[in-house]
Amino acid sequence: MKNIAVIGAGTMGNGIAHVFAQNGFQVHLIDISAASLEKGLATITKNLDRMIAKDAITEANKAVTLANIKTFTTLSEGVAQSDLVVEAATENIDLKLKIFRELDSVCNEDTVLATNTSSISITHIASVTSRPDKVIGMHFMNPVPIMKLVEIIRGYNTSDVVTQQIMDLSIKLGKTPTEVNDYPGFVANRILMPMINEAIETLYNGVAGVEEIDTVMKLGMAHPMGPLQLADFIGLDVCLSILNVMHDGFKNPKYAPCPLLVNMVMAKKLGVKSGEGFYDYATSRKAEIVAKSFKK
């Protein structure tokens, strides 16, 4: 596998493209928005400059990495001749199914189709293609250039050959692949999201404030980032989407999203991406969200 197509130039997509390109792969970064592609390339460039500042790479490495990336706004053109396509679009099942139907119709029959979904069933996604044996989950962690883990999720029909190919490929990227089975939330988010949701419930019930909850988890549990700050970093809309997938998939009330999370997403308080969530990022000052103000 040398030719990689990445669909989506957002946070995860540009990070995935960065990692592949830095490791010598030819990458086609695809997005329907030219502005998003421009922003994605700017983010990759900025992250490469940070690596140069830390003496992790050289200017020559940066130049080669950027030269390995080409951008496209047309899906069929972007995925042509790709050995692997990694979909990193918004965590929306209808959108992903639409993309995979189109990929199945325009990609070569041997092309492996991967999704970076953090919770949606690989088996469901594969079911809309004629190649379910070649559909697999590659759940990268954010920020992709730094985080080592890749959850490799096998759908019901994913073949052993494809699974091993993707495991080996992940190692070539300098990642640590971990194989898991196809259940809602997989492993990472099945454990992480209930913890974040419980932290939001703790705030909602008035047990402690934002900073206090995060401090307990950072200093008491040795977490590098508190759960509420992490939720802001992930995106509260993404957290809500994942919890809804797990709640719907398991029919277990323990996965039901906290009303505070639901209300914050409706109020467009999405975290870092919107400038405000549990913290205020627009003014560079902490601004706790008072639970009672979102209860109605």
Side-chain angles (χ1 to χ4, degrees):
M1 290 184 171
K2 291 298 294 181
N3 299 311
I4 313 297
V6 179
I7 299 174
T11 300
M12 296 305 295
N14 70 62
I16 294 167
H18 173 164
V19 169
F20 272 107
Q22 191 176 331
N23 285 278
F25 293 87
Q26 299 300 308
V27 179
H28 288 185
L29 182 58
I30 307 162
D31 199 293
I32 58 173
S33 166
S36 294
L37 288 168
E38 185 176 342
K39 184 178 178 181
L41 284 177
T43 299
I44 294 170
T45 302
K46 181 171 66 176
N47 288 335
L48 289 169
D49 286 336
R50 286 175 179 165
M51 297 175 77
I52 291 171
K54 295 177 181 178
D55 294 323
I57 64 170
T58 65
E59 285 284 356
N61 296 142
K62 171 187 171 182
V64 171
T65 298
L66 293 174
N68 284 340
I69 303 173
K70 295 181 180 178
T71 60
F72 296 84
T73 54
T74 304
L75 184 70
S76 58
E77 184 181 4
V79 301
Q81 308 306 314
S82 292
D83 302 308
L84 169 69
V85 179
V86 182
E87 172 271 317
T90 304
E91 193 74 348
N92 177 287
I93 181 62
D94 293 330
L95 175 61
K96 290 185 187 295
L97 295 180
K98 178 178 182 293
I99 289 172
F100 272 78
R101 287 190 188 96
E102 186 172 354
L103 287 174
D104 189 50
S105 68
V106 299
C107 289
N108 294 332
E109 62 180 15
D110 294 329
T111 302
V112 173
L113 307 180
T115 173
N116 183 58
T117 181
S118 55
S119 62
I120 296 170
S121 168
I122 307 305
T123 304
H124 189 181
I125 292 172
S127 70
V128 302
T129 76
S130 61
R131 63 183 89 194
D133 58 314
K134 295 183 177 67
V135 178
I136 194 165
M138 287 187 81
H139 179 208
F140 290 84
M141 304 295 123
N142 186 25
V144 180
I146 296 173
M147 301 295 281
K148 291 293 185 182
L149 176 67
V150 182
E151 267 190 313
I152 306 300
I153 306 104
R154 296 184 63 145
Y156 188 82
N157 291 303
T158 308
S159 73
D160 291 340
V161 171
V162 166
T163 301
Q164 192 59 54
Q165 274 185 308
I166 299 304
M167 294 284 283
D168 293 343
L169 182 66
S170 299
I171 292 171
K172 290 179 182 178
L173 297 177
K175 303 299 184 184
T176 301
T178 301
E179 182 181 337
V180 305
N181 290 318
D182 188 18
Y183 291 92
F186 315 131
V187 171
N189 282 317
R190 184 170 181 172
I191 295 169
L192 175 63
M193 286 302 154
M195 183 192 74
I196 287 176
N197 197 45
E198 192 62 30
I200 300 171
E201 286 278 3
T202 303
L203 174 66
Y204 183 60
N205 292 328
V207 178
V210 171
E211 188 174 17
E212 289 75 17
I213 291 169
D214 279 353
T215 297
V216 167
M217 297 305 291
K218 287 189 288 185
L219 301 185
M221 309 302 166
H223 290 198
M225 185 182 294
L228 299 176
Q229 184 183 8
L230 179 57
D232 276 355
F233 187 72
I234 294 169
L236 302 193
D237 54 336
V238 176
C239 293
L240 178 60
S241 175
I242 295 169
L243 284 165
N244 282 332
V245 167
M246 292 195 294
H247 188 221
D248 182 63
F250 290 118
K251 311 300 182 187
N252 189 323
K254 75 177 182 180
Y255 298 113
C258 175
L260 174 58
L261 175 62
V262 174
N263 283 341
M264 289 178 69
V265 171
M266 286 195 294
K268 308 299 183 185
K269 309 294 186 182
L270 307 181
V272 174
K273 69 173 74 175
S274 69
E276 185 180 357
F278 293 106
Y279 295 88
D280 186 340
Y281 302 92
T283 60
S284 299
R285 63 176 177 83
K286 182 181 75 65
E288 294 189 11
I289 302 299
V290 180
K292 64 182 181 182
S293 68
F294 281 92
K295 284 185 177 180
K296 293 183 180 180

